[in-house]
Every structure is written in C-alpha cells, then in structure tokens.
Amino acid sequence: MSIFRISVSSDHVRTLKDPNQPKIRIVHALVNVSDLPENIPLDPDPRVPKVKGLITKRISNSLRKNDGRFHLLNRGITISVKNVEFDNKRSLLTLNIPEDEVYGIIDGGHTYNSLTTVVNSIREANENSGDDEEDAILPNQYVHLEILEGIEGQLADIAEARNFSLQLKAWTLANYRHEFEWFLEALGEDYRRYIKVSENDEEPVGILDLIQVTCAMNPALFPQSRPPVEAYNSTNKCLEYFIDKDANEFRKLEHVCRDIVRLNDYVRFNWKKAYNVEDEETGKRGRLGARTEVQKRKRNRTALTTYYFLDSQVEPMQGDVPIEKGLSLPVISSLRALLEEHKGKFRWVTDPFKFFDNHGTELVKIVMEASERKGGDPHYVGRDPQLYNYLYLVVKVATQ
C-alpha cells in the first residue's frame, strides 16, 4: 500500500458525491506540477504511455511555456484510489493507492509521464546550477487531477470510456480486460517476450497477427465448408471472434496454438525452399526472388523476413525473401485439415511441420500459380475462396 501526499490550496479542491452511487466520491484538484508526486502506478491505464512521441512532445512544449494555461489546455489525470482525504488546515491531499491493478492512473498516463520528466529535468538543472528553489520550477503551471474513490467494480468501463476520445484500439482494451491471458499462457513466456499486446508496447510482433492466424486455423469457426477469407480480410473481425471464445471454441486450440504460431513462421521461412525445388518433369528450379510478389515489396522487408518463433532457444532468425500474408495465410489455414477434436480439445492427426516438409512444394506452387493468374497481387490471392477450398482438399487427401 502506498500513500501519496500532495500540497494543494483549499481554494483548488472540491469534493463531490456520486448522485446515484453514494459509495463513490469524486475529488477535483488543481495541483502545481512541481507538487505532483512520482511513482503513481500506471497499472489501470490501458494505454501504456510512450516515452517519446508526438503526444509527449506536445505536452512537454505546452508545459515549458509556463504561461499558466496548462490546466486549461490539457485534460488532466484521472486516478483510482482506495480512499482520498483532504486536510484543510495543512492544505494536504492524501491518496491511498494499494498495490493492485485497479488503483492508480486510469487516464492521463502520457500527461503524468511528461510532467514528471520535465519537472525532474528542470529540478536537476537547478541543482547543477546551485539554484535549489522549488518555486522556480514552473510556478504558473497546474494540472487538473480527478480522483475517484470506490470505483473498483466499474474500472474497465470507466477506463474504456475515458480513453475512447483518443481512439484507444480494440486490442489494447481486450488486453486490459485480460482477454489474452489464456492465449499468452498457452504460448509460453519464451514466445510472450516478443508479443505486443497493446498499441504502445515495443515488442515486435503484434498479438492481432497471431490471433489472425489462429482464427484462420480454427476448424470450429472455419470448417471445410467455410473458407477463412474473412480471417484474411479483417483482423478486427478476428479479434471479435477471439474475444467471443466460448461461442467460437478458441479454447479448444489451447494445446496447439503454440504450434500454430510457430507454423506461421515455419511456412513463410521455408517458402523459398519449397518453391525453388527442382521440377521433376522439366528439371528446372523455381526462382522465387524473381517473382513480382517478392520484388514489389519495398517497405518493412526486414520485419517481414524476421522470424521470432522458429526456435525459442535461439535468437530470432532472418530470412531473405518477404512472404506476403495474402500468399501464406491460405496455405497455413489449409493445415487446419490436420486437426481433429479429442476430448474437447483439438490435436494434430499428423505432425504439421513434417507434413509441410513433404507437401509444402505442392501447396506453395498452387498459391504462386494462383497469384500469377491474378497479376502477382497477393491481396487478391488472400481473398480467393476457391483457392482456400482447393488447398484444404489437397491437405485432406494427402492425409488419407
């Protein structure tokens, strides 16, 4: 449990009771930025603040002007607390913030980080120059604090509403509501270290990409009769399906989702090898590097050719040919034909990696021939339901 004390004039504090829920108290305070305590937890804020960026820069620039308008130009900081008390005689606001994810900053994490960073920077500069006067630190700048007591049961809804004006991404909110927990636990910590679960995280692999592949591989959602074109078309739709996991039976993939994530890397990493195999009839080898689909990719080539899940015991592996999602997803999704349900969970009827080693050339060349017919545009390939159906049948027949 942490206690935070803030000096604030009684003229700048107002306390309200919620008109419908008497247990909720709302305290509004205008606090000088130099009196804002450090280390207020950011756990409840679904938007992890960026250390650098346009928002942070704007906040810092506005603050350093010291024009007395910061509290008017900035929305301020919203904090969930166990309880809050104001000592009128001592002009002291006391916040009780236990070590629990429901307490701390709900909204305004960027503002808080920017304020504390700028204030500490000025304070350090003053100390180095021999000027230790606290009132020399932005004396005209105040920040609005909205302190909420007794909102524990409504935190998720409040956080979502408060962040909506910033267009908080759906996957950030889903993570905030712990929708990804079972999936991340199934993947394991060695995979988890590479996965970005909210929009400002720095990890290289977005969880939506992994959910998209898992969605396309879900036999309950996409049986043989329903080609998973929708999975390719919309990651947001994949997220909706994933969150409604009971209706769409995603938890049945719990024991194989780690394989699915690795399979996504394995197929793409070995795509060139599978395509360039010598043709038994003509004796000619494929030249994937000469294909339009590979050459026209100019941006993010490094990101598309970095594979994080091939071997969790070594560093990420680097390929040399970018494989677009419109090409790889139809092949990967066809391998759902290798899944069967057993005792309420999906399992492999055969090793999918060995299967691709044996049949990958056929699957890859089917896709590349389809791409050639569509002018070398992977986007059109990824939206072709007939291609999905054909690949699924090829895999199904190969297992019989």
Side-chain angles (χ1 to χ4, degrees):
M1 184 176 293
S2 298
I3 302 296
F4 297 87
R5 295 182 174 87
I6 306 172
S7 295
V8 55
S9 167
S10 58
D11 292 335
H12 298 153
V13 178
R14 292 293 180 271
T15 301
L16 303 173
K17 283 189 176 181
D18 188 286
N20 299 311
Q21 302 178 73
K23 291 183 178 180
I24 295 178
R25 283 204 306 151
I26 305 168
V27 176
H28 293 276
L30 292 178
V31 175
N32 184 271
V33 296
S34 63
D35 292 325
L36 198 64
E38 293 187 67
N39 302 318
I40 297 178
L42 293 163
D43 295 345
D45 192 342
R47 187 187 297 271
V48 179
K50 289 183 178 178
V51 177
K52 296 180 180 180
L54 181 61
I55 294 176
T56 301
K57 185 177 180 179
R58 285 178 176 174
I59 294 172
S60 299
N61 289 343
S62 175
L63 185 66
R64 287 181 181 275
K65 288 180 181 179
N66 197 31
D67 58 3
R69 298 195 306 155
F70 185 81
H71 65 287
L72 299 175
L73 303 177
N74 183 275
R75 294 194 313 170
I77 302 168
T78 304
I79 308 172
S80 167
V81 301
K82 181 72 173 178
N83 53 63
V84 53
E85 298 296 338
F86 179 65
D87 187 329
N88 190 51
K89 293 182 179 179
R90 300 167 62 195
S91 297
L92 196 64
L93 190 65
T94 301
L95 312 183
N96 181 350
I97 304 179
E99 294 181 1
D100 190 302
E101 61 183 11
V102 300
Y103 300 114
I105 293 175
I106 297 174
D107 184 27
H110 283 94
T111 296
Y112 179 71
N113 271 8
S114 298
L115 293 185
T116 54
T117 298
V118 170
V119 168
N120 285 337
S121 174
I122 296 174
R123 182 175 285 123
E124 183 178 347
N126 289 347
E127 290 175 354
N128 291 337
S129 65
D131 184 2
D132 294 332
E133 292 294 328
E134 281 292 317
D135 59 4
I137 301 177
L138 303 172
N140 298 324
Q141 297 292 52
Y142 287 77
V143 62
H144 172 225
L145 301 186
E146 181 183 19
I147 303 155
L148 306 178
E149 176 187 288
I151 63 163
E152 291 86 349
Q154 303 177 61
L155 182 64
D157 291 334
I158 293 173
E160 179 175 355
R162 295 302 176 96
N163 282 275
F164 183 75
S165 63
L166 293 177
Q167 295 183 334
L168 189 67
K169 293 182 179 178
W171 56 298
T172 298
L173 287 171
N175 175 58
Y176 181 67
R177 294 177 182 272
H178 309 294
E179 301 286 359
F180 303 145
E181 272 190 8
W182 73 267
F183 186 60
L184 294 171
E185 287 179 7
L187 293 181
E189 188 57 36
D190 53 338
Y191 280 20
R192 170 67 182 87
R193 59 181 169 157
Y194 296 120
I195 301 172
K196 175 193 293 190
V197 296
S198 62
E199 60 192 287
N200 289 336
D201 288 352
E202 296 181 354
E203 287 80 5
V205 182
I207 195 167
L208 276 192
D209 290 325
L210 305 184
I211 287 175
Q212 183 179 31
V213 174
T214 306
C215 187
M217 283 285 290
N218 186 347
L221 185 59
F222 294 108
Q224 180 178 351
S225 60
R226 185 187 180 192
V229 176
E230 192 177 23
Y232 172 75
N233 281 337
S234 175
T235 54
N236 285 334
K237 194 64 179 178
C238 290
L239 179 60
E240 288 181 24
Y241 286 141
F242 182 88
I243 291 174
D244 195 4
K245 51 186 175 295
D246 294 330
N248 298 304
E249 302 182 10
F250 273 93
R251 289 297 291 265
K252 290 184 177 181
L253 293 165
E254 195 165 6
H255 298 321
V256 297
C257 60
R258 183 179 169 93
D259 289 336
I260 291 172
V261 166
R262 180 171 172 248
L263 195 60
N264 182 45
D265 274 9
Y266 191 84
V267 168
R268 293 181 298 127
F269 182 78
N270 289 288
W271 194 276
K272 179 181 178 180
K273 177 182 176 182
Y275 182 77
N276 287 353
V277 166
E278 182 180 298
D279 188 281
E280 293 180 358
E281 295 182 3
T282 66
K284 294 182 178 180
R285 290 184 175 274
R287 296 178 57 223
L288 185 65
R291 294 287 302 239
T292 301
E293 300 89 339
V294 172
Q295 291 185 343
K296 70 179 182 181
R297 164 63 69 167
K298 303 301 181 184
R299 299 179 60 187
N300 299 325
R301 287 180 70 94
T302 300
L304 269 179
T305 55
T306 305
Y307 302 95
Y308 296 91
F309 309 112
L310 288 175
D311 188 343
S312 61
Q313 302 303 313
V314 301
E315 292 298 308
M317 299 177 68
Q318 194 69 45
D320 60 346
V321 179
I323 306 302
E324 302 289 345
K325 192 180 295 182
L327 303 177
S328 62
L329 196 65
V331 169
I332 294 165
S333 68
S334 72
L335 300 178
R336 73 192 189 282
L338 304 180
L339 290 169
E340 67 175 5
E341 187 172 345
H342 177 70
K343 295 182 179 179
K345 299 289 184 181
F346 287 116
R347 67 178 183 181
W348 301 108
V349 297
T350 188
D351 186 314
F353 302 98
K354 291 181 179 178
F355 183 90
F356 186 79
D357 290 340
N358 294 328
H359 301 278
T361 294
E362 181 182 7
L363 298 174
V364 166
K365 289 195 172 182
I366 289 172
V367 169
M368 298 308 290
E369 288 170 5
S371 178
E372 189 172 355
R373 292 193 298 271
K374 295 180 180 298
D377 190 333
H379 181 59
Y380 287 108
V381 177
R383 300 174 66 181
D384 184 352
Q386 292 183 343
L387 176 63
Y388 284 88
N389 286 337
Y390 183 50
L391 290 168
Y392 186 95
L393 287 174
V394 170
V395 175
K396 197 71 174 176
V397 169
T399 60
Q400 294 175 351

